[in-house]
Amino acid sequence: MTALATLLAVSAEPAYVPNMPSSALMTADELLRTRYADKRVELVRGIPVVREPAGYQHGAITARLSKLLMDHVDSRTLGSVLAAETGFKLLTDPDTVRAADIAFIRRARLPDPRTRGYPALAPDLVVEVLSPGDRPGETLAKVADWLNAGTTLVWVIDPERSVARVYRADGSETLVASDETLDGEQVVPGFSCVLGLIL
C-alpha cells in the first residue's frame, strides 16, 4: 500500500452500478433525465455510479468551507462557487459526468447562466470531502478525472485523519495537517483557511 493510500479512508462505501447491459452506455443527457431517488449519481465512462447520500459530518464540513470560499470569492468578484452535486461533463464518448462537493470557476470561464444540463468544462478548484467509506482507488480516479479535464487545484479533505491532500495540475502534491493552511494559490487568489477551523 502506498503512503498516499494510507492517508485516505479505506473501508468500502455502499456504491453500486445499476443492472444494465455493458453495451448500453449512458450519455450525459440521459443521466440528466434519469431519476435516482435520494441517491448521488455520477457517470463514469458511460456507467452510472450510485452512492448513498453523505452523512452529517461531511455535510457540515462542506457547508463551512463553502461559506468561507463563497464569502471570499463574492467579495472580490472572482467567479462562482457551486454547491455539492453540481455535475460537470469531463469526457465524451463515453461520457463522464463528475460532481464535486465544492467547485469554483473563475469569472472569465463561467458558462452562460442559461446553460441547461452539465457544462462541458472542469472547475478551476475542486474540493472533495471524504466520507468514512470512500475507497482510495475511487478517490484517486476521481482526482485524476478532474486534473485530466483541466482542473488546476483539487483539495481532498479527510476528516477521519484531520488532514487534506492538495493535488495540482503540474503533478505536485502537498499534505496539509489540521494546524496548517489550505491556500487558494493562484486559483483563488488571497484565500486561505486553517484546515482545523472547518473540521
Side-chain angles (χ1 to χ4, degrees):
M1 183 176 289
T2 66
L4 173 59
T6 61
L7 296 172
L8 302 173
V10 294
S11 56
E13 174 183 279
Y16 58 90
V17 176
N19 290 331
M20 59 188 292
S22 59
S23 61
L25 297 179
M26 183 178 277
T27 67
D29 288 340
E30 289 169 333
L31 177 64
L32 196 61
R33 295 189 304 266
T34 304
R35 297 291 170 243
Y36 296 90
D38 301 320
K39 307 291 182 191
R40 297 181 293 152
V41 183
E42 292 181 314
L43 191 64
V44 181
R45 286 21 169 223
I47 309 252
V49 178
V50 184
R51 300 182 191 281
E52 298 302 322
Y56 178 84
Q57 182 185 42
H58 181 282
I61 291 169
T62 302
R64 281 194 292 272
L65 183 54
S66 294
K67 181 184 184 316
L68 293 173
L69 272 168
M70 193 172 291
D71 288 348
H72 179 84
V73 165
D74 288 350
S75 70
R76 292 160 179 80
T77 60
L78 296 176
S80 183
V81 175
L82 294 131
E85 307 314 318
T86 301
F88 296 89
K89 187 176 178 183
L90 304 182
L91 290 172
T92 301
D93 196 24
D95 293 355
T96 292
V97 176
R98 292 288 196 179
D101 290 318
I102 306 169
F104 164 73
I105 305 172
R106 290 188 332 256
R107 185 177 58 198
R109 297 185 63 240
L110 287 171
D112 185 322
R114 295 166 296 180
T115 297
R116 291 183 176 269
Y118 309 113
L121 61 83
D124 296 285
L125 167 70
V126 162
V127 181
E128 299 286 357
V129 179
L130 296 180
S131 294
D134 285 338
R135 295 180 180 198
E138 291 172 358
T139 300
L140 292 175
K142 194 169 184 179
V143 169
D145 280 348
W146 290 120
L147 294 175
N148 289 334
T151 296
T152 305
L153 193 63
V154 179
W155 297 341
V156 177
I157 297 171
D158 186 343
E160 190 173 302
R161 292 167 180 77
S162 298
V163 297
R165 176 71 70 171
V166 177
Y167 299 90
R168 299 178 188 85
D170 65 7
S172 64
E173 302 173 17
T174 304
L175 179 67
V176 177
S178 62
D179 60 346
E180 296 177 325
T181 301
L182 282 172
D183 191 313
E185 302 177 12
Q186 301 304 311
V187 180
V188 190
F191 179 83
S192 64
C193 169
V194 174
L195 178 61
L197 295 179
I198 61 163
L199 295 177

